[in-house]
C-alpha cells in the first residue's frame, strides 16, 4: 500500500516469469491501474521517494512520486546477484523504515537447466540452453519433451531427445502448461491471464491454429491429465478438481474441496491421485473415478506430499516433499492397495515451477527435473546500515 493509502502496487503479466511482469499502481476506489515499470517484480516503496524492485537476479531502483504516480528517469541497478525467484516473483531482500537493508546473494533461482537423475543418484545434463522454464511434460515414449517457456508472452517448445532439435509451436496466443495426448500428436494447452484462462488443443507436428475448448475464471486453473480415452481432461483450481469431456462439452466435479488439485489419473483412467489439504497440510490421496466411493490418503508416513505423478508402466505413484521424491507401489488385485512410500530421489537446487515441477520416465527409473544454475549462499545474510543514503546517491530523484 502506498503512503497515501489510496493506491496499491500491483503486477500484471501474460507470463509466469516476474521478469516480464509490469508493475503498476491500482486505484482502490476506481479499480483503474497505471503502469509504472514495464518489467520487474516484488516492488516496494522506499521513504526516499523510490520504487525498489527485482529483475534478472538484480535489484533496481527508480525515482517515484507517489502523490502524482509519476516515475522519473530510468531504473538503475543498485544491488547485483540477489537471491530471487522469477517464477512467482519472490525476492530475498527487504529493508526497514530506518534504512537497514538485508538480503541474500544468489541471483535468479528460477533459471534452470534440465537433468535426468537415476535411482542411484547419478545426474545427466540435457543439452538444452538454461532459461526460465515452467511446466514440462514427456511424451508417452519419452522421445520428446514439451516445455513451457517464460517470455513476454509465454510459449511452448518441443524438444527431441534423439536429434536435439527444438520446435516452437506457432500459436497466436500465450501458451503454457502443455500436456501430451495419448497419441502424442496434440498438446492440451492453457492460455490467458490468471483469472480468465482458456483451455484448448494444439497440433504438435502441423501448423494449425489453437482450438479453444472451454474457458474458466477459476484462479490458477491448469490442466494436469489427458485420459487414455482421448476425450477427458482433468484440471484443478483453488476450488477443487473438475473433469472435461469433449463428448458432453461440460465440466463435472471430481473433488469439491478448497485446496485440492494437481490431479493425475491411473493408466486405465479408473483412479485419480491428487493433492488434498483437508488435514491442514498437503497430502496425497487416491480416489476412484468417476464414482468417488473410494478415497484414501497414502502420504502420512512421509509427512505429506505434493505434485503426484502416476507412472505409466511401473505401477508406482511418485510425489515430492521438498527436494525429496517418494514412490508408492500400487497393486490392483484382488483390490487396490498401496505400499509404504520409499525415498527414491533427492535433488539439491531443483527449480520449483508452478504446478508440477518434474516428470518421470515411463519405466519409473529416471526423474526429469530442472536444477537452478544459480545456487544461493545459505549461510550468510548481508546487512547494510544507512542504505537509504546509498539509494539516494545511486538513484537521484527529480532535480526540479
Amino acid at each position: 500500500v502506498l503512503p497515501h493509502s489510496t493506491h496499491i502496487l500491483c503486477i500484471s503479466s501474460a507470463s509466469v516469469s516476474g521478469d516480464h511482469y509490469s508493475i503498476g499502481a491500482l486505484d482502490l476506489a476506481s479499480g483503474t491501474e497505471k503502469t509504472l515499470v514495464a518489467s520487474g517484480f516484488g516492488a516496494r516503496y522506499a521513504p526516499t521517494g523510490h520504487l525498489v524492485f527485482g529483475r534478472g537476479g538484480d535489484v533496481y531502483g527508480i525515482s517515484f512520486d507517489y502523490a502524482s504516480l509519476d516515475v522519473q528517469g530510468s531504473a538503475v541497478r543498485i544491488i547485483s546477484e540477489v537471491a530471487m525467484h522469477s517464477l512467482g516473483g519472490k525476492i530475498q531482500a527487504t529493508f526497514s523504515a530506518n534504512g537497514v537493508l538485508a538480503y541474500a546473494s544468489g541471483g535468479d533461482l528460477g533459471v534452470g537447466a534440465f537433468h535426468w537423475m537415476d535411482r542411484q543418484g547419478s545426474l545427466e545434463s540435457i543439452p538444452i540452453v538454461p532459461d526460465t522454464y515452467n511446466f514440462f511434460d514427456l511424451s508417452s515414449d519419452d522421445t520428446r519433451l514439451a516445455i513451457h517457456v517464460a517470455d513476454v508472452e509465454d510459449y511452448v517448445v518441443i524438444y527431441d531427445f534423439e536429434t536435439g532439435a527444438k520446435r516452437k509451436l506457432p500459436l497466436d496466443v500465450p501458451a503454457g502448461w502443455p500436456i501430451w495426448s495419448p497419441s502424442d500428436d496434440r498438446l492440451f494447452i492453457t492460455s490467458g491471464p490468471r483469472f480468465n484462462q482458456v483451455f484448448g488443443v494444439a497440433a504438435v507436428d502441423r501448423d494449425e491454429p489453437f482450438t479453444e475448448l472451454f474457458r474458466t475464471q477459476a484462479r490458477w486453473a491448469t490442466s494436469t491429465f489427458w485420459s487414455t480415452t482421448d476425450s477427458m481432461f482433468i484440471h484443478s483450481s483453488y476450488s477443487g478438481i473438475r473433469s472435461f469431456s469433449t463428448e458432453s462439452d461440460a465440466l463435472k466435479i471430481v473433488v469439491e474441496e478448497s485446496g485440492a488439485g494437481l490431479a493425475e489419473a491411473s493408466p486405465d483412467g479408473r483412479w485419480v491421485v491428487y493433492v488434498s489439504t483437508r488435514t491442514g497440510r498437503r497430502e496425497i490421496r487416491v480416489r476412484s473415478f468417476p464414482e468417488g466411493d473410494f478415497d484414501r490418503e497414502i502420504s502420512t508416513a512421509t509427512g505429506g506430499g505434493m505434485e503426484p505423478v502416476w507412472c505409466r508402466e511401473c505401477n508406482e505413484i511418485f510425489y515430492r516433499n521438498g527436494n525429496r521424491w517418494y514412490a508408492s507401489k500400487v497393486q490392483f488385485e484382488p483390490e487396490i492397495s498401496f505400499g509404504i512410500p520409499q525415498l527414491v530421489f533427492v535433488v539439491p537446487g531443483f527449480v520449483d515451477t508452478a504446478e508440477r515441477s518434474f516428470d518421470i520416465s515411463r519405466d519409473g527409473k529416471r526423474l526429469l527435473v530442472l536444477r537452478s544454475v544459480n545456487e544461493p549462499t545459505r549461510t550468510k545474510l548481508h546487512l547494510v546500515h544507512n542504505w537509504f543514503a546509498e539509494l539516494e546517491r545511486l538513484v537521484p530523484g527529480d532535480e526540479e
Side-chain angles (χ1 to χ4, degrees), residues 177 188 190 193-197 199 214-225 233-244 251-264 274-277 282 355:
W177 289 281
F188 191 51
T190 304
R194 297 175 185 173
F195 293 99
N196 186 25
Q197 289 167 305
F199 293 82
F214 66 96
R215 293 172 177 252
T216 177
Q217 292 185 343
R219 182 170 180 245
W220 279 118
T222 58
S223 61
T224 52
F225 180 73
F233 311 103
I234 295 173
H235 77 99
S236 58
S237 70
Y238 282 95
S239 61
I241 301 168
R242 307 289 187 270
S243 65
F244 174 79
L251 288 169
K252 294 183 179 179
I253 296 172
V254 178
V255 179
E256 187 73 16
E257 175 191 328
S258 177
L262 297 173
E264 286 256 345
Y274 68 99
V275 176
S276 169
T277 58
R282 293 188 180 96
E355 310 301 332

Side-chain angles (χ1 to χ4, degrees), residues 59-200:
V59 172
Y60 288 79
I62 190 167
S63 181
F64 174 60
D65 181 352
Y66 73 83
S68 63
L69 301 180
D70 289 331
V71 294
Q72 292 97 29
S74 302
V76 176
R77 182 187 293 109
I78 50 179
I79 323 171
S80 297
E81 297 183 359
V82 175
M84 59 184 67
H85 206 310
S86 56
L87 290 173
K90 302 177 180 66
I91 301 176
Q92 303 305 319
T94 187
F95 52 86
S96 65
N98 63 350
V100 178
L101 168 73
Y103 70 95
S105 298
D108 185 359
L109 309 182
V111 178
F114 282 99
H115 289 78
W116 285 111
M117 175 178 275
D118 63 24
R119 294 205 178 205
Q120 288 71 48
S122 298
L123 282 166
E124 175 191 347
S125 62
I126 298 172
I128 302 176
V129 176
D131 205 336
T132 308
Y133 301 115
N134 189 42
F135 185 95
F136 50 92
D137 194 48
L138 287 164
S139 61
S140 62
D141 59 3
D142 289 350
T143 62
R144 291 185 291 180
L145 180 66
I147 310 169
H148 176 172
V149 184
D151 206 332
V152 176
E153 282 194 350
D154 292 1
Y155 60 93
V156 171
V157 298
I158 309 298
Y159 175 79
D160 190 307
F161 285 99
E162 295 177 354
T163 66
K166 287 196 302 182
R167 178 177 184 268
K168 179 182 177 181
L169 289 189
L171 305 180
D172 57 359
V173 296
W177 289 281
I179 300 287
W180 289 93
S181 69
S183 54
D184 288 340
D185 63 340
R186 290 174 292 164
L187 289 169
F188 191 51
I189 297 290
T190 304
S191 180
R194 297 175 185 173
F195 293 99
N196 186 25
Q197 289 167 305
V198 179
F199 293 82

